[in-house]
Amino acid sequence: EDQVTQSPEALRLQEGESSSLNCSYTVSGLRGLFWYRQDPGKGPEFLFTLYSAGEEKEKERLKATLTKKESFLHITAPKPEDSATYLCAVSMEYGNKLVFGAGTILRVKS
Amino acid sequence: AAGVIQSPRHLIKEKRETATLKCYPIPRHDTVYWYQQGPGQDPQFLISFYEKMQSDKGSIPDRFSAQQFSDYHSELNMSSLELGDSALYFCASSLTTLGEQYFGPGTRLTVT
């Protein structure tokens, strides 16, 4: 069964304290791995797509990396406005649905 | 930039009633997806359409049906509503079935 596991479930950081979120996956035929940010009561906001092991993408304070079994979302010098739930999702070679992980709730305090 | 539009944003229905949710994809996007997100849960895939044809199906109850129209907008029809159907319903769209999925703001359905 296709599975996506995110850790930690919740993370509290001080402003400026860098850290990483983990997304491990077990799927039969990965087509792509996606990172989304979701604020309470709002739709997931697309951040990154990664397609192959070794690929990296950056946007402002965020950097996503991909290996054959997991992905990391690195947050450098976070600010309070980075507080949100970060969702990891995968798509498979068959079909076009996204399978999501449970998310990591990030809180950044000033 | 234009985003996915969903209507209504909030909907309150009683048990056994029917609800219709609408989704207008980003212009030029030809693929539409529906997801259900319960409180404190991750989004669960329901169904998707490409060029008005169903392209993938997830854990969508038989009481639900959906379609995509010639202008690419989509509607999710939900009948015989149950209390457990209360959730956020998101529509997403992509440029082709392989593209990144962009989500709308969601419709919050409350069944009483």
mmCIF file of all heavy atoms in Angstrom, chain A residues 31 34 36 38 41-44 46 49 51 87 95-98 100-102, chain B residues 33 35 37 42-43 45 48 55-56 90 97-98 100-105 108:
data_model
loop_
_atom_site.group_PDB
_atom_site.id
_atom_site.type_symbol
_atom_site.label_atom_id
_atom_site.label_comp_id
_atom_site.label_asym_id
_atom_site.label_seq_id
_atom_site.Cartn_x
_atom_site.Cartn_y
_atom_site.Cartn_z
ATOM 1 N N ARG A 31 6.075 9.036 -9.206
ATOM 2 C CA ARG A 31 6.189 9.947 -10.340
ATOM 3 C C ARG A 31 6.684 11.311 -9.870
ATOM 4 O O ARG A 31 7.500 11.927 -10.537
ATOM 5 C CB ARG A 31 4.847 10.088 -11.057
ATOM 6 C CG ARG A 31 4.914 11.002 -12.269
ATOM 7 C CD ARG A 31 3.678 10.848 -13.153
ATOM 8 N NE ARG A 31 2.448 11.169 -12.459
ATOM 9 C CZ ARG A 31 2.007 12.413 -12.246
ATOM 10 N NH1 ARG A 31 2.720 13.445 -12.652
ATOM 11 N NH2 ARG A 31 0.868 12.627 -11.635
ATOM 12 N N PHE A 34 5.553 16.209 -3.790
ATOM 13 C CA PHE A 34 5.108 17.594 -3.731
ATOM 14 C C PHE A 34 5.118 18.074 -2.286
ATOM 15 O O PHE A 34 4.759 17.336 -1.370
ATOM 16 C CB PHE A 34 3.680 17.715 -4.284
ATOM 17 C CG PHE A 34 3.530 17.211 -5.694
ATOM 18 C CD1 PHE A 34 3.438 15.859 -5.962
ATOM 19 C CD2 PHE A 34 3.474 18.105 -6.752
ATOM 20 C CE1 PHE A 34 3.303 15.391 -7.261
ATOM 21 C CE2 PHE A 34 3.337 17.646 -8.052
ATOM 22 C CZ PHE A 34 3.253 16.293 -8.297
ATOM 23 N N TYR A 36 3.456 21.138 0.083
ATOM 24 C CA TYR A 36 2.448 22.186 0.165
ATOM 25 C C TYR A 36 2.503 22.821 1.554
ATOM 26 O O TYR A 36 2.854 22.177 2.540
ATOM 27 C CB TYR A 36 1.038 21.616 -0.038
ATOM 28 C CG TYR A 36 0.696 21.224 -1.452
ATOM 29 C CD1 TYR A 36 1.020 19.950 -1.939
ATOM 30 C CD2 TYR A 36 0.033 22.104 -2.295
ATOM 31 C CE1 TYR A 36 0.697 19.588 -3.234
ATOM 32 C CE2 TYR A 36 -0.297 21.749 -3.597
ATOM 33 C CZ TYR A 36 0.044 20.490 -4.043
ATOM 34 O OH TYR A 36 -0.280 20.137 -5.332
ATOM 35 N N GLN A 38 -0.137 24.725 4.256
ATOM 36 C CA GLN A 38 -1.569 24.955 4.485
ATOM 37 C C GLN A 38 -1.770 25.760 5.755
ATOM 38 O O GLN A 38 -1.311 25.360 6.826
ATOM 39 C CB GLN A 38 -2.348 23.629 4.566
ATOM 40 C CG GLN A 38 -3.853 23.840 4.653
ATOM 41 C CD GLN A 38 -4.642 22.556 4.601
ATOM 42 O OE1 GLN A 38 -4.183 21.502 5.027
ATOM 43 N NE2 GLN A 38 -5.869 22.630 4.065
ATOM 44 N N GLY A 41 -7.926 26.353 7.807
ATOM 45 C CA GLY A 41 -9.150 26.655 7.077
ATOM 46 C C GLY A 41 -8.950 27.077 5.637
ATOM 47 O O GLY A 41 -9.902 27.492 4.974
ATOM 48 N N LYS A 42 -7.730 26.964 5.121
ATOM 49 C CA LYS A 42 -7.449 27.379 3.745
ATOM 50 C C LYS A 42 -6.959 26.204 2.914
ATOM 51 O O LYS A 42 -6.623 25.146 3.442
ATOM 52 C CB LYS A 42 -6.425 28.506 3.730
ATOM 53 C CG LYS A 42 -6.910 29.768 4.436
ATOM 54 C CD LYS A 42 -5.978 30.927 4.186
ATOM 55 C CE LYS A 42 -6.544 32.199 4.812
ATOM 56 N NZ LYS A 42 -5.668 33.374 4.552
ATOM 57 N N GLY A 43 -6.927 26.396 1.600
ATOM 58 C CA GLY A 43 -6.462 25.352 0.718
ATOM 59 C C GLY A 43 -4.954 25.225 0.727
ATOM 60 O O GLY A 43 -4.239 26.202 0.978
ATOM 61 N N PRO A 44 -4.428 24.031 0.487
ATOM 62 C CA PRO A 44 -2.978 23.848 0.395
ATOM 63 C C PRO A 44 -2.372 24.736 -0.683
ATOM 64 O O PRO A 44 -2.914 24.823 -1.795
ATOM 65 C CB PRO A 44 -2.823 22.362 0.056
ATOM 66 C CG PRO A 44 -4.074 21.718 0.554
ATOM 67 C CD PRO A 44 -5.148 22.738 0.328
ATOM 68 N N PHE A 46 0.771 25.385 -3.126
ATOM 69 C CA PHE A 46 1.868 24.644 -3.736
ATOM 70 C C PHE A 46 3.211 25.317 -3.467
ATOM 71 O O PHE A 46 3.347 26.536 -3.610
ATOM 72 C CB PHE A 46 1.633 24.527 -5.244
ATOM 73 C CG PHE A 46 2.795 23.968 -5.997
ATOM 74 C CD1 PHE A 46 3.057 22.609 -5.964
ATOM 75 C CD2 PHE A 46 3.635 24.789 -6.728
ATOM 76 C CE1 PHE A 46 4.133 22.083 -6.656
ATOM 77 C CE2 PHE A 46 4.710 24.276 -7.422
ATOM 78 C CZ PHE A 46 4.962 22.918 -7.375
ATOM 79 N N THR A 49 7.808 20.769 -6.453
ATOM 80 C CA THR A 49 7.699 19.426 -7.000
ATOM 81 C C THR A 49 9.108 18.895 -7.211
ATOM 82 O O THR A 49 9.972 19.596 -7.736
ATOM 83 C CB THR A 49 6.992 19.415 -8.366
ATOM 84 O OG1 THR A 49 5.766 20.106 -8.277
ATOM 85 C CG2 THR A 49 6.717 17.984 -8.796
ATOM 86 N N TYR A 51 11.136 15.356 -8.733
ATOM 87 C CA TYR A 51 10.850 14.180 -9.548
ATOM 88 C C TYR A 51 11.897 13.076 -9.454
ATOM 89 O O TYR A 51 11.593 11.911 -9.700
ATOM 90 C CB TYR A 51 10.690 14.589 -11.017
ATOM 91 C CG TYR A 51 9.428 15.365 -11.294
ATOM 92 C CD1 TYR A 51 9.471 16.736 -11.551
ATOM 93 C CD2 TYR A 51 8.192 14.729 -11.297
ATOM 94 C CE1 TYR A 51 8.310 17.455 -11.806
ATOM 95 C CE2 TYR A 51 7.019 15.448 -11.550
ATOM 96 C CZ TYR A 51 7.102 16.807 -11.814
ATOM 97 O OH TYR A 51 5.948 17.511 -12.051
ATOM 98 N N LEU A 87 2.560 20.037 4.269
ATOM 99 C CA LEU A 87 2.096 18.750 3.784
ATOM 100 C C LEU A 87 3.008 18.237 2.683
ATOM 101 O O LEU A 87 3.408 18.982 1.784
ATOM 102 C CB LEU A 87 0.672 18.865 3.229
ATOM 103 C CG LEU A 87 -0.432 19.214 4.217
ATOM 104 C CD1 LEU A 87 -1.696 19.628 3.462
ATOM 105 C CD2 LEU A 87 -0.739 18.041 5.119
ATOM 106 N N GLY A 95 -2.371 6.598 -12.490
ATOM 107 C CA GLY A 95 -3.333 7.545 -11.947
ATOM 108 C C GLY A 95 -2.705 8.919 -11.744
ATOM 109 O O GLY A 95 -1.523 9.133 -12.004
ATOM 110 N N ASN A 96 -3.505 9.879 -11.268
ATOM 111 C CA ASN A 96 -2.987 11.220 -11.059
ATOM 112 C C ASN A 96 -3.387 11.805 -9.717
ATOM 113 O O ASN A 96 -3.269 13.007 -9.499
ATOM 114 C CB ASN A 96 -3.439 12.149 -12.196
ATOM 115 C CG ASN A 96 -4.948 12.152 -12.370
ATOM 116 O OD1 ASN A 96 -5.689 11.652 -11.539
ATOM 117 N ND2 ASN A 96 -5.401 12.746 -13.461
ATOM 118 N N LYS A 97 -3.810 10.961 -8.782
ATOM 119 C CA LYS A 97 -4.179 11.471 -7.478
ATOM 120 C C LYS A 97 -2.930 11.754 -6.649
ATOM 121 O O LYS A 97 -1.845 11.223 -6.910
ATOM 122 C CB LYS A 97 -5.049 10.452 -6.737
ATOM 123 C CG LYS A 97 -4.293 9.189 -6.338
ATOM 124 C CD LYS A 97 -5.189 8.229 -5.588
ATOM 125 C CE LYS A 97 -4.431 6.986 -5.155
ATOM 126 N NZ LYS A 97 -5.315 6.008 -4.474
ATOM 127 N N LEU A 98 -3.080 12.609 -5.635
ATOM 128 C CA LEU A 98 -2.043 12.847 -4.655
ATOM 129 C C LEU A 98 -2.379 12.080 -3.382
ATOM 130 O O LEU A 98 -3.529 12.093 -2.937
ATOM 131 C CB LEU A 98 -1.922 14.336 -4.327
ATOM 132 C CG LEU A 98 -1.388 15.252 -5.423
ATOM 133 C CD1 LEU A 98 -1.350 16.697 -4.936
ATOM 134 C CD2 LEU A 98 -0.013 14.809 -5.885
ATOM 135 N N PHE A 100 -1.402 12.131 0.461
ATOM 136 C CA PHE A 100 -0.789 13.067 1.402
ATOM 137 C C PHE A 100 -0.298 12.366 2.658
ATOM 138 O O PHE A 100 -0.847 11.347 3.082
ATOM 139 C CB PHE A 100 -1.813 14.133 1.825
ATOM 140 C CG PHE A 100 -2.042 15.196 0.801
ATOM 141 C CD1 PHE A 100 -2.975 15.024 -0.197
ATOM 142 C CD2 PHE A 100 -1.325 16.383 0.849
ATOM 143 C CE1 PHE A 100 -3.190 16.024 -1.148
ATOM 144 C CE2 PHE A 100 -1.545 17.388 -0.089
ATOM 145 C CZ PHE A 100 -2.474 17.194 -1.087
ATOM 146 N N GLY A 101 0.719 12.965 3.263
ATOM 147 C CA GLY A 101 1.099 12.623 4.622
ATOM 148 C C GLY A 101 0.227 13.407 5.587
ATOM 149 O O GLY A 101 -0.577 14.260 5.173
ATOM 150 N N ALA A 102 0.389 13.121 6.874
ATOM 151 C CA ALA A 102 -0.452 13.766 7.887
ATOM 152 C C ALA A 102 -0.032 15.212 8.162
ATOM 153 O O ALA A 102 -0.770 15.953 8.812
ATOM 154 C CB ALA A 102 -0.429 12.963 9.178
ATOM 155 N N TYR B 33 -9.527 18.020 -9.812
ATOM 156 C CA TYR B 33 -9.492 17.009 -8.764
ATOM 157 C C TYR B 33 -10.373 17.449 -7.606
ATOM 158 O O TYR B 33 -10.465 18.633 -7.308
ATOM 159 C CB TYR B 33 -8.067 16.835 -8.218
ATOM 160 C CG TYR B 33 -6.991 16.707 -9.270
ATOM 161 C CD1 TYR B 33 -6.514 17.826 -9.939
ATOM 162 C CD2 TYR B 33 -6.434 15.470 -9.576
ATOM 163 C CE1 TYR B 33 -5.517 17.726 -10.897
ATOM 164 C CE2 TYR B 33 -5.432 15.356 -10.538
ATOM 165 C CZ TYR B 33 -4.982 16.485 -11.185
ATOM 166 O OH TYR B 33 -3.998 16.374 -12.132
ATOM 167 N N TYR B 35 -10.922 16.717 -3.384
ATOM 168 C CA TYR B 35 -10.373 16.135 -2.157
ATOM 169 C C TYR B 35 -11.290 16.483 -0.991
ATOM 170 O O TYR B 35 -11.916 17.543 -0.966
ATOM 171 C CB TYR B 35 -8.976 16.672 -1.852
ATOM 172 C CG TYR B 35 -7.908 16.236 -2.818
ATOM 173 C CD1 TYR B 35 -7.718 16.901 -4.026
ATOM 174 C CD2 TYR B 35 -7.075 15.153 -2.527
ATOM 175 C CE1 TYR B 35 -6.738 16.503 -4.916
ATOM 176 C CE2 TYR B 35 -6.087 14.748 -3.411
ATOM 177 C CZ TYR B 35 -5.921 15.433 -4.606
ATOM 178 O OH TYR B 35 -4.944 15.030 -5.478
ATOM 179 N N GLN B 37 -11.212 16.874 3.242
ATOM 180 C CA GLN B 37 -10.330 16.976 4.399
ATOM 181 C C GLN B 37 -11.160 17.105 5.663
ATOM 182 O O GLN B 37 -11.811 18.135 5.900
ATOM 183 C CB GLN B 37 -9.376 18.165 4.266
ATOM 184 C CG GLN B 37 -8.321 18.225 5.374
ATOM 185 C CD GLN B 37 -7.295 19.316 5.154
ATOM 186 O OE1 GLN B 37 -7.582 20.360 4.586
ATOM 187 N NE2 GLN B 37 -6.061 19.085 5.613
ATOM 188 N N ASP B 42 -5.457 14.817 6.849
ATOM 189 C CA ASP B 42 -4.883 15.240 5.582
ATOM 190 C C ASP B 42 -5.934 15.089 4.479
ATOM 191 O O ASP B 42 -6.890 14.345 4.628
ATOM 192 C CB ASP B 42 -3.636 14.414 5.256
ATOM 193 C CG ASP B 42 -3.906 12.922 5.283
ATOM 194 O OD1 ASP B 42 -3.985 12.352 6.397
ATOM 195 O OD2 ASP B 42 -4.057 12.347 4.195
ATOM 196 N N PRO B 43 -5.770 15.790 3.378
ATOM 197 C CA PRO B 43 -6.735 15.687 2.270
ATOM 198 C C PRO B 43 -6.774 14.269 1.693
ATOM 199 O O PRO B 43 -5.730 13.658 1.478
ATOM 200 C CB PRO B 43 -6.207 16.689 1.249
ATOM 201 C CG PRO B 43 -5.351 17.637 2.038
ATOM 202 C CD PRO B 43 -4.728 16.805 3.110
ATOM 203 N N PHE B 45 -8.150 11.984 -1.514
ATOM 204 C CA PHE B 45 -8.568 12.105 -2.904
ATOM 205 C C PHE B 45 -9.934 11.447 -3.123
ATOM 206 O O PHE B 45 -10.184 10.326 -2.671
ATOM 207 C CB PHE B 45 -7.516 11.451 -3.797
ATOM 208 C CG PHE B 45 -7.901 11.361 -5.243
ATOM 209 C CD1 PHE B 45 -7.876 12.479 -6.060
ATOM 210 C CD2 PHE B 45 -8.292 10.147 -5.793
ATOM 211 C CE1 PHE B 45 -8.221 12.396 -7.397
ATOM 212 C CE2 PHE B 45 -8.643 10.057 -7.121
ATOM 213 C CZ PHE B 45 -8.605 11.182 -7.921
ATOM 214 N N SER B 48 -11.142 12.564 -10.035
ATOM 215 C CA SER B 48 -10.547 13.563 -10.922
ATOM 216 C C SER B 48 -11.091 13.406 -12.335
ATOM 217 O O SER B 48 -11.579 12.328 -12.713
ATOM 218 C CB SER B 48 -9.016 13.449 -10.940
ATOM 219 O OG SER B 48 -8.610 12.194 -11.452
ATOM 220 N N SER B 55 -10.787 10.510 -14.768
ATOM 221 C CA SER B 55 -9.434 10.016 -15.014
ATOM 222 C C SER B 55 -8.894 9.170 -13.874
ATOM 223 O O SER B 55 -7.983 8.371 -14.069
ATOM 224 C CB SER B 55 -8.472 11.177 -15.273
ATOM 225 O OG SER B 55 -8.487 12.103 -14.198
ATOM 226 N N ASP B 56 -9.422 9.341 -12.671
ATOM 227 C CA ASP B 56 -8.988 8.554 -11.528
ATOM 228 C C ASP B 56 -10.085 8.623 -10.472
ATOM 229 O O ASP B 56 -10.848 9.593 -10.416
ATOM 230 C CB ASP B 56 -7.661 9.086 -10.964
ATOM 231 C CG ASP B 56 -6.884 8.041 -10.177
ATOM 232 O OD1 ASP B 56 -7.415 6.936 -9.945
ATOM 233 O OD2 ASP B 56 -5.730 8.333 -9.796
ATOM 234 N N PHE B 90 -11.993 20.362 -1.084
ATOM 235 C CA PHE B 90 -11.115 21.145 -1.937
ATOM 236 C C PHE B 90 -11.194 20.660 -3.370
ATOM 237 O O PHE B 90 -11.262 19.466 -3.653
ATOM 238 C CB PHE B 90 -9.664 21.042 -1.467
ATOM 239 C CG PHE B 90 -9.406 21.710 -0.153
ATOM 240 C CD1 PHE B 90 -9.162 20.957 0.978
ATOM 241 C CD2 PHE B 90 -9.394 23.089 -0.054
ATOM 242 C CE1 PHE B 90 -8.926 21.565 2.197
ATOM 243 C CE2 PHE B 90 -9.161 23.711 1.157
ATOM 244 C CZ PHE B 90 -8.927 22.941 2.285
ATOM 245 N N THR B 97 -2.664 16.155 -16.915
ATOM 246 C CA THR B 97 -2.792 15.253 -15.774
ATOM 247 C C THR B 97 -1.467 15.064 -15.048
ATOM 248 O O THR B 97 -1.424 14.497 -13.975
ATOM 249 C CB THR B 97 -3.299 13.886 -16.226
ATOM 250 O OG1 THR B 97 -2.403 13.367 -17.214
ATOM 251 C CG2 THR B 97 -4.686 13.986 -16.820
ATOM 252 N N LEU B 98 -0.368 15.539 -15.603
ATOM 253 C CA LEU B 98 0.943 15.356 -14.983
ATOM 254 C C LEU B 98 1.436 16.624 -14.281
ATOM 255 O O LEU B 98 2.495 16.613 -13.680
ATOM 256 C CB LEU B 98 1.976 14.948 -16.047
ATOM 257 C CG LEU B 98 1.666 13.657 -16.808
ATOM 258 C CD1 LEU B 98 2.752 13.381 -17.835
ATOM 259 C CD2 LEU B 98 1.526 12.491 -15.844
ATOM 260 N N GLU B 100 1.480 20.128 -11.747
ATOM 261 C CA GLU B 100 1.279 20.407 -10.328
ATOM 262 C C GLU B 100 -0.184 20.762 -10.087
ATOM 263 O O GLU B 100 -0.809 21.445 -10.898
ATOM 264 C CB GLU B 100 2.154 21.583 -9.863
ATOM 265 C CG GLU B 100 3.632 21.296 -9.837
ATOM 266 C CD GLU B 100 4.334 21.728 -11.101
ATOM 267 O OE1 GLU B 100 3.689 22.363 -11.944
ATOM 268 O OE2 GLU B 100 5.532 21.427 -11.235
ATOM 269 N N GLN B 101 -0.709 20.323 -8.949
ATOM 270 C CA GLN B 101 -2.091 20.593 -8.607
ATOM 271 C C GLN B 101 -2.159 21.848 -7.738
ATOM 272 O O GLN B 101 -1.497 21.936 -6.704
ATOM 273 C CB GLN B 101 -2.691 19.391 -7.880
ATOM 274 C CG GLN B 101 -2.746 18.145 -8.756
ATOM 275 C CD GLN B 101 -3.391 16.973 -8.067
ATOM 276 O OE1 GLN B 101 -4.198 17.133 -7.149
ATOM 277 N NE2 GLN B 101 -3.045 15.777 -8.513
ATOM 278 N N TYR B 102 -2.995 22.776 -8.172
ATOM 279 C CA TYR B 102 -3.205 24.020 -7.432
ATOM 280 C C TYR B 102 -4.594 23.968 -6.803
ATOM 281 O O TYR B 102 -5.578 23.717 -7.498
ATOM 282 C CB TYR B 102 -3.060 25.231 -8.353
ATOM 283 C CG TYR B 102 -1.647 25.398 -8.850
ATOM 284 C CD1 TYR B 102 -1.216 24.748 -9.995
ATOM 285 C CD2 TYR B 102 -0.745 26.184 -8.146
ATOM 286 C CE1 TYR B 102 0.090 24.884 -10.440
ATOM 287 C CE2 TYR B 102 0.570 26.327 -8.585
ATOM 288 C CZ TYR B 102 0.969 25.671 -9.730
ATOM 289 O OH TYR B 102 2.273 25.807 -10.158
ATOM 290 N N PHE B 103 -4.642 24.207 -5.508
ATOM 291 C CA PHE B 103 -5.871 24.030 -4.754
ATOM 292 C C PHE B 103 -6.662 25.329 -4.621
ATOM 293 O O PHE B 103 -6.092 26.425 -4.537
ATOM 294 C CB PHE B 103 -5.560 23.489 -3.353
ATOM 295 C CG PHE B 103 -5.213 22.034 -3.335
ATOM 296 C CD1 PHE B 103 -3.986 21.594 -3.790
ATOM 297 C CD2 PHE B 103 -6.138 21.101 -2.873
ATOM 298 C CE1 PHE B 103 -3.674 20.237 -3.787
ATOM 299 C CE2 PHE B 103 -5.832 19.748 -2.875
ATOM 300 C CZ PHE B 103 -4.598 19.313 -3.323
ATOM 301 N N GLY B 104 -7.978 25.169 -4.558
ATOM 302 C CA GLY B 104 -8.857 26.281 -4.273
ATOM 303 C C GLY B 104 -8.975 26.511 -2.776
ATOM 304 O O GLY B 104 -8.379 25.781 -1.984
ATOM 305 N N PRO B 105 -9.775 27.516 -2.374
ATOM 306 C CA PRO B 105 -9.911 27.861 -0.958
ATOM 307 C C PRO B 105 -10.782 26.884 -0.182
ATOM 308 O O PRO B 105 -10.783 26.908 1.047
ATOM 309 C CB PRO B 105 -10.555 29.241 -0.993
ATOM 310 C CG PRO B 105 -11.318 29.247 -2.275
ATOM 311 C CD PRO B 105 -10.506 28.429 -3.239
ATOM 312 N N ARG B 108 -16.530 24.655 3.016
ATOM 313 C CA ARG B 108 -16.732 24.010 4.320
ATOM 314 C C ARG B 108 -18.183 23.549 4.400
ATOM 315 O O ARG B 108 -19.104 24.372 4.420
ATOM 316 C CB ARG B 108 -16.418 24.960 5.469
ATOM 317 C CG ARG B 108 -16.594 24.303 6.844
ATOM 318 C CD ARG B 108 -16.166 25.229 7.964
ATOM 319 N NE ARG B 108 -14.739 25.518 7.943
ATOM 320 C CZ ARG B 108 -13.800 24.711 8.405
ATOM 321 N NH1 ARG B 108 -14.140 23.535 8.925
ATOM 322 N NH2 ARG B 108 -12.530 25.064 8.356
#
